[in-house]
Amino acid sequence: MASNMEPKDNNLLQTPEQENGSRLKQFSPGHVRKLGMTRKMRERRDLKEDENPEEKARKHKEQELKPLYKELLYTIAHKMGYSSTNKVYTDGQLHQYIKEAFTMTTSEHDSLSKKVQSTEPPVYCLMATVKEAKGILGKDVTGFSDPYCLLTILADEEESRTRSSRAKPCKSVVKDAVSDDKIYQTDIKKQTLNPIWNQTFILEFEDIVGAGFHLEMWDKDEEVSLSQKFEDIKTNFDSLRRMIKEAKKEKGTDDFLGNVVIKLQDLPCTEDNWYNLEPRTETYPDRGQCHLNLKFIHKARDGTLSAGRSAYINYCGILQQFVQAYISKEKSSAPWKGALCGEAETLLEFYATQNDLSPFLQDLAKWVAYSKLYQSLEVDSSLLLQQLTCIEYHWRQQELPYQQKQELGDSLHGFLQYGLCLVAKYRDIFPPTSSATPKLHTLLRILVQICKTQAFQKLNPAQFELHDEVFDAIQRGTQEWFTIKKGLHQPMTKDLSEIVGALSSLIGEVQEDIKHNKDMWNRVFVSAVQVDVFTVVYKKFDSLLAKEVRETLSLIEGQMEQALANSLFPVYLSLQAIHKDKAFLQTRGLLELTNFQEGFREALPYWLNQAFSTTQDRVERAVQVDQLQPLQSGAVPIKHSSSAVDLVACIQPICQLWEQLSWLDPEEAFMLMVKLTEDVCKIVVTYCQILKKRVRTLSENSDPGSAINMLCVVVNDLEHLRSVLTQLPRQLNWAGLRDRTQNVIGDSQFHNTLPSQLQQAQDVLGKEIRSALNTLGKKLNKDIETHVRSMSTRRRIPSKSTEDAAAPLMRYLEQELKYMNENLVQENFNSLLTPMWENSVKSLYQVATKHPQQEGLMVYCQRLLYTLQCLEQSFHAEGNGLPLNTLHSEEYKTLKGHLTNNSLSSQQLVEKFFKRKIREQNEYSGEKYGAVTLLASYRRSDQRLRVEVLNAVNLLPMDSNGLSDPFVQLSLEPSYMFPEVEPRSTQIKSCDLNPLFDEAFEFMVSLDQCQNPGACLVVTVLDHDILTSDDFEGEAFLALEDIPGVAGGKKGDQLDSLLDATPGQMRRPLMHPKPNEDSILRLLESRKGERETQAFVKKRRQREKQSQEGIQQL
């Protein structure tokens, strides 16, 4: 260590290990680094704490700075050569720089300069290292040479005097210029053209001005035997010329190979370069090169300047002072990257060169200085890595003195300890930011690099596992950090809520720290030293937190209340989040916080109650401020009101509570889910109740239209809520709970509990929606009834047309239905349409059936029928409304039939009556009352309808003898279509149930008459009685258009093809009418003022009385 090397160095440059006892033990690295950010140097702690700072600064300058200052003044005064830096500085510039760097006053500078001027000057020397040569001439007969070098320093007058004293020019200068004691010779290298020497010589000189460095390279000439020379000639005839030349020169004369001459004034203070060997003649101009290292050094340097300190220690002190001065002057917040000003680099180079400090010692000094500065200033870590690389390189190349070895070992070990101290405090020193974490990574790389260097392994033979040391430092630092945080969050009183709050704050800090370790620091430690800091920290916190939680919960046991439970909830959430992070652990094991939830079981009911009561209060407030207006209209309308949105937002925290709790015990988790679902359903039911109250309150002072609009919004709110409830199983993840509880909760219990709860709430919502729709429908139906009643202004003579009378109702429906469609969700709109349609049909039916007088009934029913048709179109809306199968209900069909019939005239009703009879005839099957066979045709040429009655079969026995006296009556109906045609009858066939008639009848009727809808031939079979009226055997109906010759075209169309129409034989079963079942007859019967109509009705009623259908029913 430096203090062992020089007893008088006054600890100018302490190693990190030396300072551990003073600096690191009293100040944390975080504190040191914080001071480093302000660019202020810390005072060393080896002085008394109560010493005056000014006195300490004065002593520091006197004992440490002034000796170094004198060394620099001496270096400037006796500098030789120039610096390798690009710029050359004058003495004045260098003096000014060191004055500023060492904060010396002018008087102090002048005083110290005088002292330096009075010292003894050094001995100026040039240290010349002859390393090697290449490509030199081969002077021997073998083609090689035996080279050696002569070195000296000659003044210009000595060289010129030597040259002038010779009678003839000579190649050599060095041999004859100075005495032998000033000439230095290298070793002779045998038979080579690329000799390697690596020999160093120190050449003294008095004055650099006019002096030059001379190097001459010679080939050593030695006597060889005659037989050896002949042998060389035999093997190499090319050497014959050399042999002849050799014979001419004097015995023992060496051959000149070349020289290097350099003016000392042209040399830098240190240089390592290849120089060309120059010839004395032009015979062989290319003589190769010589590799030299030249450096100006001092010998006998005055030792009183720095109180006997070694040059190495002084160099360290000067370097440190220059770095501090540079950093202070720059005032940059960025770390120092190793740059110095040109004056500083020049002076350091001069000082190291003059004192012959090797590159190894210079790099060692930089390492020691930089590692020391790293502890107090912001120094870029890459500098330390660079210096470690240099030291490792030099360590392999050369040996260090013992003391420097010890210093290097202490420095490396001390920095390791300091680095581990920083690692323990990494949270404070290297916060989780993008700018700080790279510094931590570089520090760890430095520690790794230190442990990998051969110097550390050689100088610190004790076992040192960096991985284990970092692991221990992290654990130790985590414990210290936790203790500090615990102290910061210590409760001021013994109040339980305050104790819980302190614990919550502490756990929050731990949670954040775990997150930073996982997301930021872990990558740094794993990549640099393969230490999973997240796992180390997590397990340490697990044990520390488990102890704190157990202690706190033991204080609360038996004293739980709502406020205390509320304060415990953040604690639970933080522990839950920490517990989930265990998934990222690289090594698994039993954790103390695994079952932490058990300690919070007592607080769980309070948490549920708090969530329920808070949500219910928020729902009530939301409804109180709701104006029951749609939130948004336009292209993307929102048809529900603000309270529906607020309710969904209020329910979400309950769903989030389930996720936050993440209760581990499956059976308890199921019960918890039951409770949460029950609470949500209660809130939904409560919302329905208070929403009904709200709409009643707002409707009291509003017009009917506004009331209907608010009802629409209420329906939409409830429908929106129903859709939200449908998503509840997914939001609460019932499927995941089912998987967790399969082993403890049966399927029947699970499905009979949760879904039934939800279904009950859905039923309540459905009931309320139907109730609201019913209320809405009633309001609309009332208006519809009013419009229906007002459609006829006068009974006898209506004052309006049918379209005009129905127009107000249509406009009302269009307006209301349009509004409903725009402001109700589609499902509810459809739900509203159905009862509206049913009530509309019912209203129309009631109005139609309660018409007080017969007068004007037909016109009134025509209006109602037109109204019904318009309503049908409105509610169907071209397929966008109710489907036709819903519209065409039984009530609709009854109403439409009633209105249709009442809208027709008596003749139209009679016509419709016969159409129905024809249809019944065509659909009738069997011959229950017998049958009649006809042969019929129509001749268009003479407009004759020919009907031939062939026979009748299976007639009913109407007489007491079991037989009948049948005859057939033919009539064309309706009678108003055939006013001039009289009925025809066949002859009577006595006592015969299967009579054969074979009688033909012709009717003069036009084709148009025959082709009229409803025109038919009525065939009536009667039993002739003499004393009483004839008995009714049955009747059959034949549409005239079905008779050959009638169908196929109008009169005159394709006449030729129709003249001879073949008669068609037709067998028709006889039918009996059902008494009092025909609605048309009842309607005709009500029209008392029409004599012909009443005669028709009377005739048909007579047939009904004679019908066997009535007897069978009885």
Side-chain angles (χ1 to χ4, degrees):
M1 293 182 294
S3 58
N4 296 330
M5 291 172 58
E6 299 291 344
K8 296 181 181 181
D9 66 352
N10 295 321
N11 296 325
L12 177 63
L13 188 64
Q14 296 179 334
T15 64
E17 186 176 13
Q18 290 172 304
E19 291 198 341
N20 280 342
S22 58
R23 183 188 302 271
L24 294 180
K25 289 182 180 180
Q26 298 181 37
F27 293 89
S28 69
H31 188 196
V32 174
R33 300 291 283 179
K34 188 179 295 184
L35 290 182
M37 292 296 290
T38 63
R39 303 296 182 185
K40 294 180 180 180
M41 285 291 294
R42 288 186 49 83
E43 297 291 338
R44 293 198 314 276
R45 309 303 296 175
D46 55 353
L47 303 177
K48 294 181 180 180
E49 291 294 333
D50 57 353
E51 190 174 1
N52 190 321
E54 295 180 358
E55 181 63 21
K56 289 194 294 185
R58 188 190 64 78
K59 288 184 178 180
H60 175 71
K61 177 176 281 190
E62 290 293 333
Q63 297 176 4
E64 298 182 5
L65 297 185
K66 286 187 177 181
L68 298 178
Y69 196 82
K70 290 188 289 184
E71 286 284 348
L72 289 174
L73 289 174
Y74 192 86
T75 299
I76 297 171
H78 302 289
K79 70 179 187 297
M80 297 172 291
Y82 56 88
S83 173
S84 59
T85 58
N86 296 329
K87 187 174 180 181
V88 177
Y89 297 95
T90 64
D91 292 355
Q93 290 175 319
L94 297 178
H95 284 164
Q96 182 62 31
Y97 170 73
I98 62 174
K99 276 179 62 179
E100 295 175 359
F102 282 79
T103 63
M104 294 292 177
T105 64
T106 303
S107 60
E108 289 174 333
H109 172 76
D110 294 339
S111 174
L112 294 175
S113 296
K114 289 180 181 180
K115 291 181 180 180
V116 171
Q117 291 173 3
S118 63
T119 59
E120 290 294 328
V123 176
Y124 303 128
C125 302
L126 177 67
M127 177 182 287
T129 300
V130 183
K131 293 186 173 182
E132 58 183 323
K134 60 181 179 180
I136 63 174
L137 297 176
K139 290 293 186 176
D140 295 342
V141 293
T142 59
F144 294 98
S145 295
D146 301 322
Y148 66 93
C149 297
L150 300 178
L151 297 82
T152 191
I153 292 179
L154 292 176
D156 292 343
E157 58 272 13
E158 292 177 330
E159 180 180 1
S160 59
R161 184 171 57 251
T162 302
R163 292 183 182 276
S164 60
S165 62
R166 291 176 177 165
K168 62 178 181 178
C170 182
K171 297 178 181 180
S172 65
V173 173
V174 173
K175 288 184 177 181
D176 302 327
V178 294
S179 58
D180 292 342
D181 60 338
K182 292 184 179 182
I183 297 176
Y184 300 88
Q185 179 179 332
T186 66
D187 297 336
I188 300 172
K189 299 299 179 179
K190 296 292 187 177
Q191 295 297 297
T192 180
L193 300 180
N194 300 293
I196 298 175
W197 288 286
N198 285 324
Q199 290 182 262
T200 301
F201 306 93
I202 298 177
L203 290 70
E204 298 179 2
F205 59 92
E206 294 180 359
D207 190 1
I208 194 172
V209 179
F213 169 74
H214 288 256
L215 178 143
E216 292 182 354
M217 187 177 297
W218 295 85
D219 170 44
K220 185 66 175 178
D221 186 21
E222 297 181 355
E223 294 185 2
V224 182
S225 63
L226 186 60
S227 61
Q228 179 64 39
K229 288 188 177 183
F230 276 117
E231 185 64 29
D232 291 341
I233 292 173
K234 290 180 181 180
T235 58
N236 188 0
F237 283 99
D238 292 337
S239 63
L240 179 60
R241 186 169 59 87
R242 290 193 182 94
M243 289 291 296
I244 297 172
K245 186 176 181 180
E246 187 82 11
K248 292 181 179 180
K249 71 177 183 179
E250 300 178 0
K251 297 290 187 179
T253 300
D254 296 338
D255 293 317
F256 178 76
L257 296 178
N259 69 347
V260 176
V261 178
I262 306 172
K263 296 293 184 180
L264 295 186
Q265 288 181 312
D266 297 336
L267 284 174
C269 59
T270 180
E271 184 177 58
D272 189 286
N273 205 353
W274 286 89
Y275 296 92
N276 293 326
L277 292 172
E278 301 295 338
R280 289 295 183 182
T281 65
E282 298 300 328
T283 307
Y284 297 104
D286 186 8
R287 293 175 174 264
Q289 292 179 312
C290 184
H291 188 188
L292 301 177
N293 181 277
L294 304 176
K295 179 166 61 173
F296 290 112
I297 65 171
H298 288 172
K299 285 176 64 176
R301 190 180 176 94
D302 195 313
T304 63
L305 296 173
S306 55
R309 294 177 183 152
S310 67
Y312 168 75
I313 295 297
N314 289 336
Y315 183 85
C316 292
I318 293 170
L319 174 63
Q320 181 173 325
Q321 189 64 28
F322 282 171
V323 173
Q324 292 175 7
Y326 179 83
I327 294 175
S328 299
K329 185 176 181 180
E330 289 295 318
K331 296 181 180 179
S332 172
S333 60
W336 180 60
K337 297 183 178 298
L340 288 174
C341 63
E343 295 91 338
E345 292 180 352
T346 298
L347 289 170
L348 286 172
E349 185 178 11
F350 278 146
Y351 187 83
T353 303
Q354 292 174 9
N355 290 277
D356 193 22
L357 291 178
S358 66
F360 197 175
L361 288 177
Q362 293 180 47
D363 287 328
L364 174 60
K366 290 179 181 178
W367 159 257
V368 173
Y370 294 168
S371 61
K372 177 182 174 63
L373 289 170
Y374 184 85
Q375 303 175 36
S376 57
L377 298 176
E378 280 292 306
V379 176
D380 195 310
S381 303
S382 59
L383 282 178
L384 301 181
L385 283 174
Q386 180 181 350
Q387 293 309 125
L388 283 174
T389 303
C390 293
I391 289 174
E392 181 71 3
Y393 169 78
H394 292 308
W395 182 269
R396 298 172 183 272
Q397 302 297 321
Q398 66 183 87
E399 188 78 11
L400 269 180
Y402 175 78
Q403 291 181 339
Q404 274 69 41
K405 280 186 179 180
Q406 290 299 110
E407 182 178 17
L408 176 58
D410 293 342
S411 175
L412 293 175
H413 189 270
F415 190 85
L416 271 176
Q417 297 304 318
Y418 175 75
L420 292 172
C421 185
L422 295 183
V423 170
K425 301 290 184 180
Y426 70 92
R427 295 174 175 86
D428 302 319
I429 303 171
F430 306 104
T433 62
S434 57
S435 59
T437 50
K439 298 177 183 178
L440 173 61
H441 187 265
T442 307
L443 172 64
L444 295 173
R445 286 181 56 204
I446 292 172
L447 301 183
V448 171
Q449 191 65 27
I450 288 175
C451 295
K452 287 182 177 180
T453 58
Q454 290 187 0
F456 178 79
Q457 296 173 3
K458 182 73 174 178
L459 300 175
N460 294 272
Q463 188 69 21
F464 187 91
E465 291 293 338
L466 181 61
H467 182 279
D468 297 340
E469 293 293 334
V470 172
F471 185 94
D472 294 342
I474 294 171
Q475 281 199 324
R476 183 172 64 254
T478 301
Q479 176 70 62
E480 294 174 356
W481 181 88
F482 186 84
T483 303
I484 293 172
K485 293 298 181 181
K486 180 180 176 182
L488 291 175
H489 297 292
Q490 194 71 21
M492 302 299 293
T493 65
K494 293 185 179 180
D495 180 69
L496 290 179
S497 296
E498 189 171 349
I499 292 174
V500 173
L503 177 62
S504 177
S505 300
L506 177 61
I507 295 177
E509 296 255 22
V510 171
Q511 181 184 358
E512 184 177 8
D513 185 77
I514 289 176
K515 181 179 183 300
H516 290 327
N517 276 282
K518 175 170 66 73
D519 297 339
M520 297 292 291
W521 288 316
N522 196 59
R523 294 195 300 268
V524 176
F525 279 93
V526 169
S527 63
V529 290
Q530 288 73 53
V531 173
D532 183 11
V533 69
F534 169 73
T535 300
V536 177
V537 170
Y538 187 93
K539 291 185 175 181
K540 186 65 178 178
F541 279 143
D542 177 70
S543 61
L544 294 172
L545 286 180
K547 179 181 177 182
E548 294 295 325
V549 172
R550 283 194 299 267
E551 292 177 355
T552 303
L553 292 179
S554 65
L555 298 175
I556 300 174
E557 189 174 0
Q559 303 183 54
M560 189 62 65
E561 57 182 13
Q562 188 64 57
L564 193 57
N566 292 345
S567 63
L568 273 176
F569 190 63
V571 175
Y572 179 89
L573 292 183
S574 297
L575 290 175
Q576 184 73 271
I578 292 174
H579 183 68
K580 289 181 179 179
D581 281 337
K582 72 175 183 179
F584 299 97
L585 293 175
Q586 296 300 314
T587 57
R588 301 298 176 89
L590 183 62
L591 298 173
E592 296 186 39
L593 284 176
T594 299
N595 299 318
F596 77 95
Q597 294 173 327
E598 297 178 357
F600 295 88
R601 191 177 284 112
E602 187 178 357
L604 184 57
Y606 293 91
W607 296 342
L608 298 177
N609 179 67
Q610 178 69 23
F612 175 77
S613 59
T614 302
T615 303
Q616 197 163 26
D617 291 342
R618 290 180 60 189
V619 169
E620 292 179 359
R621 290 195 299 270
V623 175
Q624 288 173 2
V625 299
D626 193 356
Q627 296 301 315
L628 298 180
Q629 297 295 325
L631 279 179
Q632 180 178 322
S633 60
V636 186
I638 299 177
K639 299 180 180 181
H640 44 265
S641 64
S642 60
S643 63
V645 178
D646 293 338
L647 176 61
V648 175
C650 293
I651 293 177
Q652 285 301 319
I654 297 181
C655 300
Q656 292 173 0
L657 179 62
W658 167 256
E659 298 179 3
Q660 291 171 334
L661 291 175
S662 299
W663 206 261
L664 294 180
D665 185 88
E667 189 171 2
E668 294 179 355
F670 175 73
M671 300 306 298
L672 178 60
M673 179 65 77
V674 172
K675 174 62 176 171
L676 291 174
T677 305
E678 179 184 356
D679 288 347
V680 172
C681 294
K682 284 182 180 179
I683 291 171
V684 169
V685 173
T686 302
Y687 175 76
C688 294
Q689 295 171 353
I690 59 179
L691 191 63
K692 288 168 62 178
K693 295 179 182 179
R694 180 64 177 169
V695 72
R696 281 196 294 267
T697 302
L698 294 177
S699 300
E700 289 177 356
N701 301 321
S702 61
D703 59 273
S706 299
I708 291 177
N709 296 345
M710 285 188 285
L711 272 175
C712 291
V713 174
V714 169
V715 172
N716 290 335
D717 288 345
L718 298 179
E719 187 62 41
H720 178 67
L721 186 55
R722 184 158 62 176
S723 66
V724 172
L725 278 184
T726 305
Q727 301 297 324
L728 191 63
R730 181 186 58 81
Q731 291 179 334
L732 292 177
N733 192 17
W734 284 7
L737 180 63
R738 173 70 283 201
D739 295 338
R740 289 176 54 196
T741 58
Q742 281 184 346
N743 297 328
V744 293
I745 303 295
D747 287 340
S748 59
Q749 181 181 0
F750 188 92
H751 293 293
N752 291 336
T753 305
L754 292 177
S756 63
Q757 286 180 314
L758 192 60
Q759 187 58 47
Q760 290 175 6
Q762 293 277 25
D763 293 342
V764 171
L765 283 176
K767 180 180 177 182
E768 295 297 336
I769 290 173
R770 290 191 298 272
S771 175
L773 289 175
N774 186 39
T775 303
L776 187 59
K778 287 180 180 179
K779 291 181 178 292
L780 295 174
N781 290 327
K782 185 177 180 181
D783 295 337
I784 292 174
E785 291 177 9
T786 302
H787 283 286
V788 169
R789 289 193 187 98
S790 65
M791 280 195 302
S792 177
T793 57
R794 288 190 298 169
R795 301 296 184 189
R796 191 177 297 274
I797 305 176
S799 62
K800 297 180 181 179
S801 66
T802 301
E803 292 80 359
D804 293 339
L809 175 60
M810 292 301 101
R811 285 195 298 268
Y812 172 79
L813 282 176
E814 182 181 2
Q815 177 183 351
E816 293 300 324
L817 291 180
K818 179 181 179 182
Y819 179 84
M820 301 298 171
N821 187 35
E822 291 177 352
N823 292 278
L824 282 177
V825 296
Q826 190 62 40
E827 183 178 354
N828 288 331
F829 178 66
N830 293 337
S831 300
L832 178 63
L833 284 180
T834 301
M836 279 184 64
W837 169 253
E838 293 174 354
N839 288 326
S840 298
V841 172
K842 183 178 178 181
S843 299
L844 286 173
Y845 185 79
Q846 290 174 350
V847 171
T849 56
K850 290 182 180 180
H851 198 279
Q853 299 179 7
Q854 183 64 29
E855 275 187 70
L857 177 61
M858 184 174 68
V859 176
Y860 187 56
C861 288
Q862 288 174 353
R863 288 183 177 180
L864 294 181
L865 181 60
Y866 175 76
T867 302
L868 179 64
Q869 293 171 348
C870 292
L871 286 174
E872 181 181 356
Q873 293 177 359
S874 298
F875 280 88
H876 183 55
E878 298 180 352
N880 296 319
L882 293 178
L884 291 176
N885 58 350
T886 302
L887 293 172
H888 295 171
S889 61
E890 291 300 323
E891 292 80 4
Y892 165 82
K893 293 177 182 178
T894 303
L895 173 62
K896 186 175 182 180
H898 176 78
L899 295 177
T900 301
N901 290 340
N902 280 277
S903 300
L904 299 176
S905 65
S906 296
Q907 292 182 350
Q908 290 174 324
L909 287 174
V910 172
E911 181 180 334
K912 185 175 182 180
F913 172 82
F914 282 111
K915 286 181 181 178
R916 183 187 299 173
K917 285 300 183 180
I918 294 171
R919 186 169 61 253
E920 289 178 4
Q921 181 71 60
N922 293 332
E923 294 174 354
Y924 190 80
S925 61
E927 296 180 353
K928 179 180 179 180
Y929 303 109
V932 62
T933 303
L934 304 174
L935 191 64
S937 65
Y938 180 79
R939 293 199 303 269
R940 294 192 178 191
S941 59
D942 54 3
Q943 296 187 357
R944 291 179 183 273
L945 175 65
R946 178 182 175 82
V947 179
E948 187 175 351
V949 182
L950 298 179
N951 64 352
V953 294
N954 300 324
L955 298 178
L956 294 176
M958 303 302 290
D959 295 338
S960 59
N961 59 5
L963 298 173
S964 294
D965 302 320
F967 69 95
V968 176
Q969 185 181 75
L970 303 177
S971 62
L972 296 180
E973 300 288 347
S975 60
Y976 73 86
M977 291 185 183
F978 306 96
E980 299 179 356
V981 178
E982 296 291 336
R984 307 288 182 87
S985 297
T986 66
Q987 294 180 358
I988 300 170
K989 301 295 182 181
S990 300
C991 301
D992 195 348
L993 297 180
N994 296 287
L996 179 63
F997 297 104
D998 282 333
E999 295 184 42
F1001 304 91
E1002 289 186 350
F1003 300 90
M1004 295 293 293
V1005 292
S1006 66
L1007 181 61
D1008 291 337
Q1009 289 177 305
C1010 293
Q1011 290 182 343
N1012 280 331
C1016 64
L1017 172 68
V1018 179
V1019 181
T1020 306
V1021 180
L1022 299 170
D1023 170 45
H1024 178 70
D1025 287 331
I1026 297 175
L1027 299 179
T1028 60
S1029 61
D1030 296 335
D1031 295 324
F1032 180 67
E1033 287 278 358
E1035 62 184 354
F1037 298 88
L1038 175 63
L1040 295 184
E1041 63 183 0
D1042 293 336
I1043 294 176
V1046 175
K1050 298 294 182 181
K1051 182 179 178 180
D1053 294 341
Q1054 300 178 352
L1055 186 60
D1056 294 340
S1057 61
L1058 297 174
L1059 289 178
D1060 299 325
T1062 303
Q1065 183 173 323
M1066 306 167 191
R1067 183 184 177 103
R1068 289 289 185 267
L1070 299 177
M1071 300 188 303
H1072 281 220
K1074 294 180 180 180
N1076 300 319
E1077 287 193 2
D1078 198 302
S1079 59
I1080 296 178
L1081 288 180
R1082 287 197 300 270
L1083 180 57
L1084 290 172
E1085 195 172 21
S1086 66
R1087 298 179 179 181
K1088 301 294 185 181
E1090 299 179 9
R1091 186 170 53 186
E1092 294 182 358
T1093 301
Q1094 294 304 315
F1096 173 77
V1097 172
K1098 182 179 179 181
K1099 182 179 179 181
R1100 293 309 305 174
R1101 291 300 186 195
Q1102 183 66 30
R1103 289 284 183 262
E1104 290 179 357
K1105 290 180 181 179
Q1106 297 174 336
S1107 173
Q1108 293 292 325
E1109 291 289 329
I1111 296 174
Q1112 290 179 3
Q1113 288 179 0
L1114 292 176

